[in-house]
Amino acid sequence: MSRRWTARLALVTGLAAFAVLVLFGGFTSLLLMAVGWAGLVLTAAGVWWMLTRTGWIRVLAGLLVAVAPLAVLFLYAAAGLLWVVLVSLALWALAVAAGSAALTEEAEGMPERSAARAERPFVIMNPRSGGGKVEKFGLAERARALGAEVVLLDPDRRQDVAELARQAVEDGADLLGVAGGDGTQALVAAVAAEHDIPFMVICAGTRNHFAMDLGLDRQDPSRCLEALTDGVELRVDLGYILEGEPAADGTMGGPGGPGGPGDTGVTGDTGGTGVAGRVFVNSASFGVYAEVVQSPAYRDDKAGTILEMLPALLTQSGGSRLSVRADALTLDGPQAVLVSNNPYQNGDPAGLGRRERLDSGELGMLGVEVSNAAEAAALLLHGRQGRGLTAVTAREVLVDADAPAIPCGVDGEALVLSTPVRCRIAPGVLRVRVPRHRPGVPRAAAAMDWRRVRQLALTMGRAATGRADA
């Protein structure tokens, strides 16, 4: 179906959603729709109070969250209009989906170039990642059969994967690969970028966000090994974190120098990248989430720790007060900040889905600043258009705080970094070797804009009619 006809479908089903309410329910159905929105607002407010209060107020908020939606459904059923509202909502959902699809253009993929087969590939594998995917899919045996040298990490002792990778390069490795989580991927990717050699991702972790945005098959990690025999190369960006006050030469470093309390694990200028610091392939998070995962109790009781710590963190009576500058934009006191290597899709309110590209040369920055239940409800209802959420792109993001050090989550790894923390992006410094044939990254969902949908449906239709008449 063409984009023009998809836009027309969006307009027709949107009008049908309204018509169903008016024809079958009259004024009563419109009143009940208003009640439904009120119930949604009350539910969002209840969630906020649950997160920011303790004791009996939290109990009452929990009851509100449970009762509000049930009360709305009861009113619909009592009026005999439950089916009318459900049909109308279904039509409206179809209208929004069709409108978004009509506005979505084919995304231009990241440029690929042919790549010669690696002569001495070196692959690091973590047997524990992803619940044991290395063993489940026979990744070590398959990689060795394709000519790769494989090192299995010892689960019982801590090993420096970056040092393993550097030693492999010194011994003549011409490709570095990792089967593990995103944090391990980032450490080895830094070495690959430093020496300008290809890097291979094997999605054997739990979430595999980096692999997802490269278009790799996350259901079958063994397919990633096809990059060794029939691969192409992508040039992608890397994010870098630099901590502490700038030195005289303009670089950043924590107190005590390399190995000291503020050392991030990567020192000096990382070879050809022109940037010093710790690499992140996905994101660095600051604020609420980073504070929670630093708690010693978090590992044993995640839910209990979150409920105990969130009230103080969200109301900013606990934790550090952040100050963020993203190029020319300044945020004072956000509760949470996410800095990503390339921005997440506009259609993803939480910034936890896909990135359209990994070669835009820009960081994405999401800042959350919510101070009351009304703002929390607006954020839930309006997503990225809500007042409490700031979404921008920048080449550099500076995160400071009223404390000498702050928690930070870097690609899922919990760290404590000296302030200020500077996030930068190094465009195109990583050569990623991927299979020629892979599932690919779906098209990015466009933000809904009814004015543009109407123009697309009507203006293009008139133009087409004009050409036919001519």
Side-chain angles (χ1 to χ4, degrees), residues 137-148 220 222-223 225 228:
F137 290 92
L139 298 179
E141 294 78 9
R142 290 175 183 239
R144 291 187 178 112
L146 294 173
D220 184 2
S222 65
R223 291 192 59 189
L225 294 172
L228 293 173

Side-chain angles (χ1 to χ4, degrees), residues 176-191:
L176 295 176
V178 175
D182 289 325
T184 307
Q185 300 276 1
L187 293 173
V188 180
V191 179

Side-chain angles (χ1 to χ4, degrees), residues 322-326 329-334 337 365-369 390:
L322 301 179
S323 173
V324 181
R325 188 171 73 243
L329 174 73
T330 300
L331 294 180
D332 184 30
V337 175
M365 195 282 287
L366 290 169
V368 178
E369 187 176 4
T390 300

Side-chain angles (χ1 to χ4, degrees), residues 110-113 192-193 195-198 210 214 232-238 272-273 342 357-361 426-434:
M110 292 182 285
E112 301 177 358
R113 68 176 186 179
H195 294 279
D196 194 31
I197 64 174
F210 191 49
L214 290 170
V232 293
E233 195 168 288
L234 309 175
R235 277 277 184 179
V236 306
D237 309 334
L238 286 179
T273 67
N342 284 258
R357 310 184 65 92
L358 292 169
D359 61 349
S360 71
V429 297
L430 182 63
R431 299 165 54 191
V432 182
R433 188 71 56 85
V434 295

Side-chain angles (χ1 to χ4, degrees), residues 110-111 235-240 275 280 327 340-343 355-364 392-397 423-429:
M110 292 182 285
R235 277 277 184 179
V236 306
D237 309 334
L238 286 179
Y240 285 80
V275 183
F280 60 95
D327 289 347
S340 58
N341 172 25
N342 284 258
R355 289 162 288 183
E356 298 176 25
R357 310 184 65 92
L358 292 169
D359 61 349
S360 71
E362 290 187 307
L363 297 168
V392 297
T393 59
R395 291 297 298 270
E396 179 176 286
V397 176
C423 300
R424 293 178 177 173
I425 194 162
V429 297

Side-chain angles (χ1 to χ4, degrees), residues 289 292-303 305-306 309:
Y289 173 74
V292 169
V293 298
Q294 290 285 339
S295 170
Y298 178 76
R299 182 177 297 273
D300 297 326
D301 184 12
K302 291 181 173 60
T305 304
I306 290 172
M309 297 182 65

Side-chain angles (χ1 to χ4, degrees), residues 32-49 61 64-73 75-76 89 92 373-383:
L32 288 178
M33 283 298 290
V35 171
W37 280 104
L40 185 59
V41 170
L42 287 175
T43 302
V47 171
W48 171 257
W49 289 324
L64 178 61
V65 170
V67 169
L70 294 176
V72 170
L73 292 176
L75 289 174
Y76 288 169
L89 288 175
W92 184 254
E375 291 181 358
L379 182 60
L380 177 64
L381 294 173
H382 300 293

